[in-house]
Coordinates of all heavy atoms in Angstrom, one line a residue:
E14 N 74.3 150.2 39.4 CA 75.6 150.8 39.0 C 75.6 152.2 39.5 O 76.6 152.7 40.1 CB 75.8 150.7 37.5 CG 77.1 151.3 37.0 CD 77.3 151.3 35.5 OE1 76.3 151.2 34.8 OE2 78.4 151.2 35.1
T15 N 74.6 153.0 39.3 CA 74.6 154.4 39.7 C 74.6 154.5 41.2 O 75.3 155.3 41.8 CB 73.3 155.1 39.2 OG1 73.3 155.1 37.8 CG2 73.2 156.5 39.7
G16 N 73.9 153.6 41.9 CA 73.9 153.6 43.4 C 75.3 153.3 43.9 O 75.7 153.9 44.9
E17 N 76.0 152.4 43.3 CA 77.4 152.1 43.7 C 78.3 153.3 43.5 O 79.2 153.6 44.3 CB 77.9 150.8 43.0 CG 77.2 149.5 43.4 CD 77.6 148.3 42.5 OE1 78.3 148.6 41.5 OE2 77.3 147.2 42.8
R18 N 78.1 153.9 42.4 CA 78.9 155.1 42.1 C 78.7 156.2 43.1 O 79.6 156.8 43.6 CB 78.6 155.7 40.7 CG 79.1 154.8 39.5 CD 78.6 155.3 38.2 NE 79.2 154.6 37.1 CZ 78.8 154.8 35.8 NH1 77.8 155.6 35.5 NH2 79.5 154.2 34.8
L19 N 77.4 156.5 43.4 CA 77.0 157.5 44.3 C 77.5 157.2 45.7 O 78.0 158.1 46.4 CB 75.5 157.7 44.3 CG 74.9 158.3 43.1 CD1 73.4 158.2 43.2 CD2 75.3 159.8 42.9
T20 N 77.5 156.0 46.1 CA 77.9 155.6 47.5 C 79.4 155.8 47.6 O 79.9 156.3 48.6 CB 77.5 154.2 47.8 OG1 76.1 154.0 47.7 CG2 78.0 153.7 49.2
A21 N 80.2 155.3 46.6 CA 81.6 155.5 46.6 C 82.0 156.9 46.6 O 82.9 157.3 47.3 CB 82.3 154.8 45.4
Y22 N 81.3 157.7 45.9 CA 81.6 159.2 45.8 C 81.3 159.8 47.1 O 82.1 160.7 47.7 CB 80.7 159.8 44.7 CG 80.4 161.2 44.8 CD1 81.5 162.2 44.6 CD2 79.1 161.7 44.9 CE1 81.2 163.5 44.6 CE2 78.9 163.1 45.0 CZ 79.9 164.0 44.8 OH 79.7 165.3 44.9
A23 N 80.1 159.5 47.8 CA 79.8 160.1 49.0 C 80.8 159.7 50.1 O 81.2 160.6 50.9 CB 78.4 159.7 49.4
D24 N 81.2 158.5 50.1 CA 82.2 158.1 51.1 C 83.5 158.9 51.0 O 84.1 159.3 51.9 CB 82.5 156.6 51.0 CG 81.3 155.8 51.4 OD1 80.4 156.3 52.1 OD2 81.3 154.6 51.1
L25 N 83.9 159.1 49.7 CA 85.2 159.8 49.4 C 85.0 161.3 49.9 O 85.9 161.9 50.4 CB 85.5 159.7 47.9 CG 86.9 160.4 47.5 CD1 88.0 159.5 48.1 CD2 86.9 160.5 46.0
L26 N 83.8 161.9 49.5 CA 83.6 163.3 49.9 C 83.7 163.5 51.4 O 84.3 164.5 51.9 CB 82.3 163.7 49.3 CG 82.0 165.2 49.5 CD1 81.1 165.7 48.3 CD2 81.3 165.5 50.8
V27 N 83.1 162.6 52.2 CA 83.2 162.7 53.6 C 84.6 162.7 54.1 O 85.0 163.5 55.0 CB 82.4 161.6 54.3 CG1 82.6 161.5 55.8 CG2 80.9 161.8 54.0
R28 N 85.5 161.8 53.5 CA 86.9 161.7 53.9 C 87.6 163.0 53.5 O 88.4 163.5 54.4 CB 87.5 160.5 53.3 CG 87.0 159.2 53.8 CD 87.9 158.0 53.6 NE 88.2 157.8 52.1 CZ 87.5 157.1 51.3 NH1 86.4 156.5 51.8 NH2 87.8 156.9 50.0
W29 N 87.4 163.5 52.3 CA 88.2 164.6 51.9 C 87.7 165.9 52.6 O 88.4 166.9 52.7 CB 88.0 164.8 50.4 CG 89.0 164.0 49.5 CD1 89.1 162.6 49.5 CD2 89.9 164.5 48.6 NE1 90.1 162.2 48.7 CE2 90.6 163.4 48.0 CE3 90.3 165.7 48.1 CZ2 91.6 163.5 47.1 CZ3 91.2 165.9 47.2 CH2 91.9 164.7 46.7
N30 N 86.4 165.9 53.0 CA 85.9 167.1 53.6 C 86.6 167.5 54.9 O 86.5 168.6 55.4 CB 84.4 166.9 53.9 CG 83.6 168.2 53.8 OD1 83.5 168.9 52.7 ND2 83.0 168.7 54.9
A31 N 87.2 166.5 55.5 CA 88.0 166.8 56.7 C 89.2 167.7 56.4 O 89.7 168.5 57.3 CB 88.5 165.5 57.4
R32 N 89.6 167.7 55.2 CA 90.8 168.6 54.8 C 90.4 169.7 53.9 O 91.1 170.7 53.9 CB 91.8 167.7 54.1 CG 92.3 166.5 54.8 CD 93.5 165.8 54.2 NE 93.3 165.6 52.8 CZ 92.8 164.5 52.3 NH1 92.3 163.5 53.1 NH2 92.7 164.3 51.0
I33 N 89.4 169.5 53.1 CA 89.0 170.6 52.1 C 87.4 170.8 52.4 O 86.7 169.9 52.5 CB 89.1 170.1 50.7 CG1 90.6 169.7 50.4 CG2 88.7 171.1 49.7 CD1 90.8 169.1 49.0
N34 N 87.1 172.1 52.4 CA 85.7 172.4 52.6 C 84.9 172.3 51.4 O 84.5 173.2 50.7 CB 85.6 173.9 53.2 CG 84.2 174.2 53.6 OD1 83.4 173.4 54.1 ND2 83.8 175.5 53.4
L35 N 84.5 171.0 51.1 CA 83.7 170.7 49.9 C 82.2 171.1 50.1 O 81.6 171.6 49.3 CB 83.8 169.2 49.5 CG 85.3 168.8 49.2 CD1 85.3 167.3 49.1 CD2 85.6 169.4 47.8
V36 N 81.7 170.7 51.3 CA 80.4 171.2 51.8 C 80.6 171.7 53.2 O 81.5 171.2 53.9 CB 79.3 170.1 51.7 CG1 79.2 169.6 50.3 CG2 79.7 168.9 52.6
S37 N 79.7 172.5 53.7 CA 79.9 173.0 55.1 C 79.6 171.8 56.0 O 78.9 170.9 55.7 CB 78.8 174.1 55.3 OG 77.5 173.6 55.3
R38 N 80.2 172.0 57.2 CA 80.0 170.9 58.2 C 78.6 170.6 58.6 O 78.2 169.5 58.6 CB 80.9 171.2 59.4 CG 82.4 171.2 59.2 CD 83.2 171.3 60.5 NE 84.6 171.3 60.2 CZ 85.3 170.2 60.0 NH1 84.7 169.0 60.1 NH2 86.6 170.2 59.8
P39 N 77.7 171.6 58.8 CA 76.3 171.3 59.0 C 75.7 170.6 57.8 O 74.8 169.7 58.0 CB 75.7 172.7 59.2 CG 76.8 173.6 59.6 CD 78.0 173.1 58.9
D40 N 76.1 171.0 56.6 CA 75.5 170.3 55.4 C 75.9 168.9 55.2 O 75.3 168.1 54.6 CB 75.8 171.1 54.2 CG 74.9 172.2 53.9 OD1 74.0 172.4 54.7 OD2 75.0 172.9 52.9
L41 N 77.1 168.5 55.8 CA 77.6 167.2 55.6 C 76.6 166.1 56.1 O 76.5 165.1 55.5 CB 78.9 167.0 56.4 CG 79.8 165.8 56.0 CD1 80.1 165.9 54.5 CD2 81.0 165.8 56.8
A42 N 75.9 166.4 57.2 CA 74.9 165.5 57.7 C 73.7 165.4 56.8 O 72.9 164.4 56.8 CB 74.4 165.9 59.1
Q43 N 73.5 166.4 55.9 CA 72.4 166.4 54.9 C 72.9 166.1 53.5 O 72.3 166.6 52.5 CB 71.7 167.7 55.0 CG 71.1 168.0 56.3 CD 69.9 167.0 56.6 OE1 69.1 166.8 55.8 NE2 70.0 166.5 57.9
L44 N 74.0 165.4 53.4 CA 74.7 165.3 52.1 C 73.8 164.6 51.0 O 73.6 165.1 49.9 CB 75.9 164.4 52.2 CG 76.7 164.0 50.9 CD1 77.2 165.3 50.2 CD2 77.8 163.1 51.2
W45 N 73.1 163.6 51.4 CA 72.2 162.9 50.4 C 71.0 163.7 50.1 O 70.7 163.9 48.9 CB 71.8 161.5 50.9 CG 73.0 160.5 50.8 CD1 74.0 160.3 51.7 CD2 73.2 159.7 49.7 NE1 74.9 159.4 51.2 CE2 74.4 159.0 50.0 CE3 72.6 159.4 48.5 CZ2 75.0 158.0 49.2 CZ3 73.1 158.4 47.7 CH2 74.3 157.8 48.0
P46 N 70.2 164.2 51.1 CA 69.0 165.0 50.7 C 69.2 166.4 50.1 O 68.6 166.8 49.2 CB 68.1 165.0 52.0 CG 69.1 164.9 53.1 CD 70.2 164.0 52.5
R47 N 70.2 167.0 50.7 CA 70.5 168.4 50.3 C 71.3 168.6 49.1 O 71.1 169.5 48.3 CB 71.2 169.2 51.5 CG 71.4 170.7 51.3 CD 72.0 171.3 52.5 NE 72.2 172.7 52.2 CZ 71.3 173.7 52.3 NH1 70.1 173.4 52.6 NH2 71.7 175.0 52.1
H48 N 72.3 167.7 48.8 CA 73.2 167.8 47.7 C 73.0 166.8 46.6 O 72.8 167.1 45.4 CB 74.6 167.8 48.2 CG 74.9 169.0 49.1 ND1 75.1 170.3 48.6 CD2 75.1 169.1 50.4 CE1 75.3 171.1 49.6 NE2 75.4 170.4 50.8
I49 N 73.0 165.5 47.0 CA 73.0 164.4 46.0 C 71.6 164.4 45.4 O 71.4 164.4 44.1 CB 73.4 163.1 46.6 CG1 74.9 163.2 47.0 CG2 73.1 162.0 45.6 CD1 75.4 161.9 47.6
A50 N 70.5 164.3 46.2 CA 69.1 164.3 45.6 C 68.8 165.5 44.8 O 68.2 165.4 43.8 CB 68.2 164.1 46.8
D51 N 69.3 166.6 45.3 CA 69.0 167.9 44.5 C 69.6 167.8 43.1 O 69.0 168.2 42.1 CB 69.5 169.1 45.3 CG 69.0 170.4 44.9 OD1 67.8 170.5 44.5 OD2 69.8 171.4 44.9
S52 N 70.9 167.4 43.1 CA 71.6 167.3 41.8 C 71.0 166.2 40.9 O 70.9 166.4 39.7 CB 73.1 167.0 42.1 OG 73.7 168.0 42.8
L53 N 70.6 165.1 41.5 CA 70.0 164.0 40.7 C 68.8 164.4 39.9 O 68.4 163.8 38.9 CB 69.6 162.8 41.6 CG 70.7 161.8 41.9 CD1 70.2 160.8 42.9 CD2 71.2 161.1 40.6
Q54 N 68.1 165.5 40.4 CA 66.9 165.9 39.6 C 67.2 166.3 38.2 O 66.3 166.1 37.3 CB 66.3 167.2 40.3 CG 65.8 167.0 41.7 CD 65.2 168.3 42.2 OE1 64.0 168.6 42.1 NE2 66.0 169.1 42.7
L55 N 68.4 166.7 37.9 CA 68.8 167.1 36.6 C 69.0 165.9 35.6 O 68.9 166.1 34.4 CB 70.0 168.0 36.6 CG 69.9 169.3 37.4 CD1 71.2 170.1 37.1 CD2 68.7 170.1 37.0
A56 N 69.2 164.8 36.2 CA 69.6 163.6 35.4 C 68.5 163.3 34.3 O 68.9 163.0 33.2 CB 69.9 162.4 36.2
T57 N 67.3 163.3 34.7 CA 66.2 163.0 33.8 C 66.0 164.1 32.7 O 65.3 163.9 31.7 CB 64.9 162.8 34.5 OG1 64.5 164.0 35.3 CG2 65.0 161.6 35.5
L58 N 66.6 165.2 32.9 CA 66.5 166.4 31.9 C 67.6 166.4 30.9 O 67.6 167.3 30.1 CB 66.4 167.7 32.7 CG 65.3 167.8 33.8 CD1 65.4 169.1 34.5 CD2 63.9 167.6 33.1
I59 N 68.6 165.5 31.1 CA 69.8 165.5 30.2 C 69.5 164.6 29.0 O 69.3 163.4 29.2 CB 71.0 165.0 31.0 CG1 71.3 165.9 32.2 CG2 72.2 165.1 30.1 CD1 71.6 167.3 32.0
P60 N 69.6 165.1 27.8 CA 69.4 164.2 26.6 C 70.5 163.1 26.6 O 71.6 163.3 27.0 CB 69.6 165.2 25.4 CG 69.3 166.5 26.0 CD 69.8 166.5 27.4
A61 N 70.1 162.0 26.0 CA 71.1 160.9 25.9 C 72.3 161.3 25.1 O 72.3 161.9 24.1 CB 70.4 159.7 25.1
G62 N 73.5 161.0 25.7 CA 74.8 161.3 25.1 C 75.1 162.7 25.0 O 76.0 163.1 24.3
A63 N 74.5 163.6 25.8 CA 74.7 165.0 25.7 C 76.1 165.4 26.2 O 76.7 164.7 27.0 CB 73.6 165.7 26.6
R64 N 76.5 166.5 25.7 CA 77.7 167.2 26.1 C 77.3 168.2 27.2 O 76.6 169.1 26.9 CB 78.5 167.9 25.0 CG 78.9 166.9 23.8 CD 79.1 167.7 22.6 NE 77.9 168.4 22.1 CZ 77.9 169.2 21.1 NH1 79.0 169.5 20.4 NH2 76.8 169.8 20.7
V65 N 77.8 168.0 28.4 CA 77.4 168.9 29.5 C 78.7 169.7 30.0 O 79.7 169.1 30.2 CB 76.8 168.1 30.6 CG1 76.5 169.0 31.8 CG2 75.6 167.4 30.2
V66 N 78.5 171.0 30.2 CA 79.5 171.8 30.9 C 78.9 172.2 32.2 O 77.9 172.9 32.2 CB 80.0 173.0 30.0 CG1 80.8 174.0 30.9 CG2 80.7 172.5 28.8
D67 N 79.5 171.9 33.3 CA 79.1 172.3 34.6 C 80.0 173.3 35.2 O 81.2 173.1 35.3 CB 79.1 171.0 35.5 CG 78.5 171.3 36.9 OD1 77.3 171.8 36.9 OD2 79.2 171.1 37.9
M68 N 79.4 174.5 35.5 CA 80.2 175.6 35.9 C 80.3 175.7 37.5 O 79.3 175.5 38.1 CB 79.6 176.9 35.4 CG 79.4 177.0 33.9 SD 78.9 178.6 33.3 CE 77.3 178.8 34.1
G69 N 81.5 175.9 38.0 CA 81.7 176.0 39.4 C 81.3 174.7 40.1 O 80.5 174.7 41.1
S70 N 81.9 173.6 39.7 CA 81.5 172.3 40.2 C 81.7 172.0 41.6 O 81.0 171.2 42.2 CB 82.2 171.2 39.3 OG 81.9 171.3 38.0
G71 N 82.7 172.7 42.3 CA 82.9 172.5 43.7 C 83.1 171.1 44.1 O 84.0 170.4 43.7
G72 N 82.2 170.6 45.0 CA 82.3 169.2 45.4 C 81.7 168.2 44.5 O 81.6 167.0 44.8
G73 N 81.2 168.7 43.3 CA 80.6 167.8 42.3 C 79.2 167.9 42.1 O 78.6 167.1 41.4
F74 N 78.6 169.0 42.6 CA 77.2 169.3 42.4 C 76.9 170.4 41.4 O 77.4 171.5 41.6 CB 76.6 169.6 43.8 CG 77.0 168.7 44.9 CD1 77.8 169.1 45.9 CD2 76.5 167.3 44.9 CE1 78.2 168.2 46.9 CE2 76.9 166.5 45.8 CZ 77.8 166.9 46.9
P75 N 76.1 170.2 40.4 CA 75.5 168.9 40.1 C 76.3 168.1 39.1 O 75.9 167.0 38.8 CB 74.2 169.4 39.4 CG 74.5 170.6 38.7 CD 75.5 171.3 39.6
G76 N 77.4 168.6 38.5 CA 78.0 168.0 37.4 C 78.4 166.6 37.5 O 78.2 165.7 36.7
L77 N 79.2 166.3 38.6 CA 79.7 164.9 38.8 C 78.5 163.9 39.1 O 78.6 162.8 38.6 CB 80.7 164.9 40.0 CG 81.5 163.6 40.1 CD1 82.1 163.1 38.8 CD2 82.5 163.7 41.2
V78 N 77.5 164.4 39.8 CA 76.3 163.5 40.0 C 75.6 163.2 38.7 O 75.2 162.1 38.4 CB 75.3 164.2 41.0 CG1 74.1 163.4 41.1 CG2 76.0 164.3 42.4
I79 N 75.6 164.2 37.8 CA 75.0 164.0 36.5 C 75.8 162.9 35.7 O 75.3 162.0 35.1 CB 75.0 165.3 35.7 CG1 73.9 166.3 36.2 CG2 74.7 165.0 34.2 CD1 74.0 167.6 35.6
A80 N 77.2 163.0 35.8 CA 78.0 162.0 35.1 C 77.8 160.6 35.7 O 77.9 159.7 34.9 CB 79.5 162.5 35.3

Side-chain angles (χ1 to χ4, degrees):
E14 181 182 25
T15 296
E17 291 173 350
R18 289 171 170 174
L19 291 171
T20 300
Y22 159 65
D24 290 345
L25 185 72
L26 187 148
V27 170
R28 294 199 300 273
W29 277 59
N30 209 65
R32 306 191 308 274
I33 301 173
N34 186 32
L35 298 167
V36 299
S37 70
R38 291 189 181 277
D40 274 1
L41 196 59
Q43 299 295 315
L44 177 61
W45 285 85
R47 184 174 177 84
H48 296 288
I49 294 177
D51 196 37
S52 299
L53 272 175
Q54 294 183 94
L55 299 189
T57 59
L58 304 176
I59 304 294
R64 300 161 298 173
V65 177
V66 169
D67 185 56
M68 302 188 299
S70 299
F74 311 109
L77 188 51
V78 174
I79 289 172

